[in-house]
Each structure stands twice: as structure tokens, then as C-alpha cells.
Amino acid sequence: MTDISKVAVIGAGVIGAGWVARFMENGIDVALFDPAPDAATKVKAVLDNADRAYQKLTMAPRAKRGNLEFSPSLAEAVQGKQLVMEAVPESLALKQSVYKDIESHVDAGVIIASSTSGILPTQLQEKMANPQRLLVAHPFNPVYLLPLVEIVAGEQTSSKVTVAAGEFFNRLGMYSLPIRKEIDAFVADRLLEAVWREALWLVKDGIATTTEIDDAIRFGFGLRWAQMGLFESYRLAGGEAGMRHFIAQFGPCLQWPWTKLTDVPELTDELIDTIARQSDEQSGQYSFRELERIRDDNLIAILQALKINQWGAGETLGRYEQALFDAGAREETATDEDPGQPLLTLERTVPPDWTDYNNHMNESRYLQCFADASDALLRRVGVDADYVADSGSYFTVETHIRHLDEVAALQPIKVTTQVLNGVGKKLHVFHRLFHGDGRLLATAEQLLIHVDLKSRKASEPTPEVSKCLTEISAAHAALDMPEGCGRAIGDPH
């Protein structure tokens, strides 16, 4: 089931629209049904945000975007689909009714996944004809960025369905977390609800405002939680003696009246007005869409920072990027391009944060484009993650860039690569960076050397890689020597 390519999404709220964006970004065609008259408008806004986010999230080639179809009925949406994602409001009766409609229009083997944030899957299954096909796949907002999805099986859910669903969501760049036992609100929301309940008391009792509570989280333990969670953070708090010492030292505090986690404040009109007023004072200067984009930008920065250290959600992003890079190389190799012409090694739009104060792409990003193009070429000839782990890699030893024209944010660019010499340890390439309108923006001549990563010395590539590079080099031998090749600064020739 990991080869799922067609899904239906029922419900176009915040979560449903987020699923649509996540699916489409990974090349999956989506049929969406939601009877609300403004569904299309709301979904478009989320898709715009997701497209903006993915331009920043990864430098890997993005998959060819899946298609979106707004279906006039649930029946038309689910027909012929391999998975149906239910994202309707949190009403058990409504969800059970939706499942009845879905089952009357799909084959028995089609997986039905619920985005519920707390209803037990066993309850959801009660009136189904084929309950073994249903499970909960609980995501977190924004679905297109946050990787966690809680996988919860009901009493009648097939283990094959649970495994297949987990593998499928992992392929989308997510982190599937199987929940061992059914429990209301699962794991993450139970933790959030406990903090939320205590926060309500702090506001009600006049201890802190909504801004102060959020500041306590985002400037303090929230940063720890983003990369270590709860128990690992407390393990460090115990010093070298670890978790056992931490519990011995701070465990007795649990008997003190520090919190009100077993009591819930009454949500009176007065308390609601207080929270709403403080929230307006805290964030009212931003529109809803502005806050979404601020949130996305901050999440991307955190994910990228964690990726550098191969930690937590950053490690998940790194695996997803690697899969995108490798898939992009396979797709490019499979195209019908003329092998005797320079290879298309990069195609993307310029992200807004790649530009300077003039809105033009800055110098460092030209180099990044050419570096990414070299990486794409190497993947095409077999120098992928597995190769680097086993056989070595190519190191760039010299680069000469000529800047010829300007390009602005969100404009399309592409790089073509000509292999001048691919025989032996050396790889000599010439890149051309073009604007989408055909203008030549820059060129780069690069020399790379194959290196044994254990000895850190120059070495021969494997026969398979050598064969691929020799074939490309031979095919490009008939091309004219590129203008600007072999030049140095101040050289007029």
C-alpha cells in the first residue's frame, strides 16, 4: 500500500486542507469533498502557504505536484481511490455516517483513516461493514510541515493496515508514531490538554496573561521540547546521575500543590472574555494568514537547525530530503532528453530568502545552485547516499563562477550541466544557470575529485559510476567547448 497515488479527503477544514497540501506536495492526486460553499477558497489559501513553505523547507527537487479535484459528492470523491482520509468535525455520529457512505462506494481493501484528535477508533468502527480497514492517523497543524502522525488501531483494525499506513505516511516525510493502546485523545493531545488546563487556571487566578504564559513556553522549555521532549530533558536535569537522581530529587514535588491538573476551571463568560481580550492584545496586530506564515517560517528554521545535527524532527526531514534527491535523480535519468546535450540538473523557483535588499538572488545562492546541480549529476550516475556510505564521494576542489545577469525572488531558474571530462578520479563539469525566460544568468566551471572517505585520499570511483560518467563524457565530447571555460579573473580569453 505504500505505492498509494490516489486518495480522497473528506472535509476541507484546517486539518483536511493540510492533508491535501501534504499529499499533493508528494505527487499524490487528491479528490476533495466538502459541501461548504467557501471550501475551495480556504483550501487555496492553505495550498499557497504550503507551496511557500516548501520553497524554503528543502533544497531537494520537489516531486511533481499531484492534482486536486473538487468533487461534487462524497461518492465521486472516493471512487477509485486507494486511501480515504476523513477530516470531518469531531462528532462520533457524523463520522460513523460518513464511513457508511464511504464503504458503499469503495472496495473492501481501501484504507479509511480518521484525523480525529481524540475519539477511539474502536468506537469509530462500531457500525462499519469492514472495520478492519479503519485506523486513526492523527496529524498536527500545520499538517504539511509538522511530521508527527499518531497511528492508532482499533480492536478490529488489521495489523497489515496499520503497518501499511505507517509506511505510507513515512514516505510523505512524516514520523508515524504507533500508539500502543487505545486511550481518549491518544498521547500528544493528552499532554497538551494538561498544559492547557493549567494555563487556564493561571489566567483565571490572575497569575499570568496569555502573552506571559506563551513567553514562558517559547523562551524556555518549549525550545528544549522541540528537540528532546520531556523525559530526555529531565534526564539531563538529573545531572550525570541521570533520570533516577532527577526523580529522587524532584519527585516529592509532585505531592506539593503546585498545579491544578486534577481540577478544571469553569469557562465562565468572564474568563472567556479575559482570555479573548488578552489574546487580541498579544496577536491582534497580525492577520490570520500572517500568523500562519510567521509560524511556518519559524518551524522551517527549527527543522533545518535540527537537521544539521541529525536530531529529532530534523532527522526525519533529512531522510525525506534524501528520498526526494534520489527520486529526482531517478526521474531525470528516465526522461527522454538528448544524451548528447547538457543535462538538466536543477529546476526551481528562487525563494524569497535567497535575495538581497534589491530582491535579487545573492552571490552565495548562485554557488548553491551550481553545488546542487553537481549533486544532482552525481546522483544520476549512482553517487547517492548508499554509495557515499560504502564507496566514497566527490569533493569539489575548484570553482569559477561568472555572474552575467540578475534574477529576482519567485522567478524560475534551471541549470544545465556539460561533462567535459569524467574519466578516472577527476570530474570536470561546466554549468549554465538560466532564467525561465531563457536568459543566461551565470556559468560555473568545477573540478571535482573522487575521494575515499576512510583514507581521505583521491581514489578511483566504482566501475559502475565510472562507466556512467565515461558514457556522458563521450556523449558531450561532440559539443563545442563552452564560452568562458578555462578563464580566470583578469584573463581576456
Side-chain angles (χ1 to χ4, degrees):
M1 293 300 293
T2 55
D3 60 348
I4 292 170
S5 61
K6 295 181 179 180
V7 306
V9 175
I10 310 301
V14 172
I15 297 300
W19 274 122
V20 171
R22 171 75 75 166
F23 290 143
M24 291 178 63
E25 184 60 36
N26 286 276
I28 295 173
D29 294 334
V30 181
L32 173 65
F33 172 69
D34 190 311
D38 60 347
T41 300
K42 290 183 176 179
V43 170
K44 183 181 183 306
V46 174
L47 292 180
D48 288 345
N49 276 356
D51 181 62
R52 174 182 177 275
Y54 272 86
Q55 289 185 40
K56 297 182 175 186
L57 178 64
T58 174
M59 297 300 104
R62 295 162 67 182
K64 182 180 179 182
R65 205 177 194 196
N67 297 314
L68 173 61
E69 172 189 353
F70 289 92
S71 300
S73 68
L74 182 147
E76 292 185 49
V78 302
Q79 286 178 358
K81 303 305 184 295
Q82 299 155 293
L83 180 143
V84 180
M85 178 60 67
E86 170 267 303
V88 304
E90 293 287 85
S91 162
L92 177 60
L94 174 61
K95 290 178 183 290
Q96 290 176 335
S97 174
V98 167
Y99 302 148
K100 182 178 180 180
D101 289 345
I102 293 172
E103 286 198 297
S104 64
H105 295 98
V106 299
D107 295 333
V110 173
I111 295 176
I112 301 176
S114 174
S115 297
T116 180
S117 57
I119 302 176
L120 299 179
T122 294
Q123 294 177 306
L124 298 175
Q125 294 172 329
E126 286 176 349
K127 298 182 180 181
M128 293 183 66
N130 295 286
Q132 73 281 354
R133 70 163 89 208
L134 182 133
L135 80 165
V136 167
H138 175 222
F140 293 81
N141 187 41
V143 181
Y144 53 80
L145 275 183
L146 289 182
L148 180 62
V149 54
E150 292 179 306
I151 304 296
V152 192
E155 291 177 0
Q156 301 182 73
T157 304
S158 164
S159 60
K160 291 183 178 179
V161 168
T162 303
V163 171
E167 292 176 349
F168 169 66
F169 292 119
N170 287 345
R171 181 167 68 85
L172 305 184
M174 304 188 81
Y175 182 84
S176 297
L177 179 65
I179 304 303
R180 295 173 180 270
K181 295 182 179 180
E182 281 187 284
I183 187 171
D184 292 323
F186 321 131
V187 172
D189 275 357
R190 292 181 73 90
L191 295 171
L192 287 172
E193 192 268 341
V195 176
W196 167 244
R197 189 189 308 130
E198 182 63 24
L200 292 177
W201 276 115
L202 292 172
V203 174
K204 180 181 183 300
D205 293 343
I207 306 299
T209 65
T210 60
T211 299
E212 292 161 353
I213 292 170
D214 284 351
D215 284 350
I217 295 172
R218 68 194 185 104
F219 290 110
F221 60 85
L223 293 173
R224 292 200 313 242
W225 283 8
Q227 47 93 33
M228 277 193 170
L230 179 65
F231 283 96
E232 200 162 42
S233 295
Y234 281 164
R235 177 183 179 85
L236 289 178
E240 293 184 4
M243 179 61 77
R244 188 176 300 278
H245 175 67
F246 172 81
I247 294 176
Q249 184 175 10
F250 294 100
C253 300
L254 298 176
Q255 306 299 320
W256 302 349
W258 274 9
T259 66
K260 298 182 179 180
L261 291 180
T262 58
D263 195 7
V264 182
E266 181 182 356
L267 289 173
T268 62
D269 289 343
E270 181 182 6
L271 178 56
I272 293 172
D273 288 344
T274 298
I275 294 172
R277 185 187 73 254
Q278 291 181 2
S279 180
D280 288 343
E281 293 171 353
Q282 177 182 1
S283 308
Q285 69 271 34
Y286 302 109
S287 71
F288 175 70
R289 296 302 172 196
E290 285 174 331
L291 272 179
E292 281 189 321
R293 292 179 177 181
I294 291 169
R295 173 205 64 193
D296 289 358
D297 288 349
N298 291 333
L299 287 173
I300 289 166
I302 293 171
L303 287 167
Q304 284 291 347
L306 291 173
K307 187 191 74 173
I308 292 172
N309 292 323
Q310 298 183 341
W311 194 266
E315 188 176 16
T316 300
L317 174 58
R319 285 197 299 268
Y320 178 56
E321 281 190 327
Q322 186 62 58
L324 288 175
F325 275 122
D326 291 345
R330 289 193 296 270
E331 183 177 334
E332 289 161 359
T333 303
T335 61
D336 296 327
E337 64 186 358
D338 184 349
Q341 294 298 316
L343 306 173
L344 178 64
T345 47
L346 178 71
E347 194 168 21
R348 63 167 304 140
T349 57
V350 177
D353 59 350
W354 278 26
T355 58
D356 55 24
Y357 61 90
N358 288 321
N359 197 37
H360 296 139
M361 190 166 76
N362 64 49
E363 291 180 358
S364 67
R365 297 304 183 176
Y366 283 85
L367 177 58
Q368 179 163 344
C369 287
F370 294 129
D372 289 346
S374 290
D375 285 346
L377 170 66
L378 292 175
R379 285 186 173 87
R380 290 179 70 162
V381 299
V383 184
D384 55 15
D386 292 336
Y387 182 94
V388 172
D390 295 334
S391 306
S393 185
Y394 279 87
F395 286 9
T396 304
V397 295
E398 189 171 348
T399 299
H400 179 231
I401 297 178
R402 296 187 304 152
H403 298 271
L404 306 175
D405 208 338
E406 298 173 332
V407 61
L410 303 180
Q411 293 182 347
I413 55 175
K414 67 177 182 179
V415 175
T416 63
T417 301
Q418 181 177 342
V419 177
L420 303 178
N421 181 16
V423 179
K425 303 174 185 178
K426 295 181 179 181
L427 175 56
H428 188 190
V429 298
F430 191 88
H431 304 293
R432 297 174 177 89
L433 174 65
F434 293 96
H435 192 285
D437 61 13
R439 284 183 290 125
L440 182 62
L441 301 172
T443 67
E445 184 178 1
Q446 289 188 316
L447 179 64
L448 300 91
I449 301 293
H450 189 274
V451 174
D452 182 317
L453 295 181
K454 294 180 180 178
S455 67
R456 313 303 286 187
K457 295 181 179 180
S459 64
E460 295 286 339
T462 64
E464 294 79 11
V465 169
S466 181
K467 180 176 182 292
C468 290
L469 283 172
T470 300
E471 289 175 351
I472 297 173
S473 181
H476 288 182
L479 296 172
D480 293 335
M481 186 61 64
E483 193 276 326
C485 181
R487 286 189 55 184
I489 293 176
D491 182 356
H493 302 293

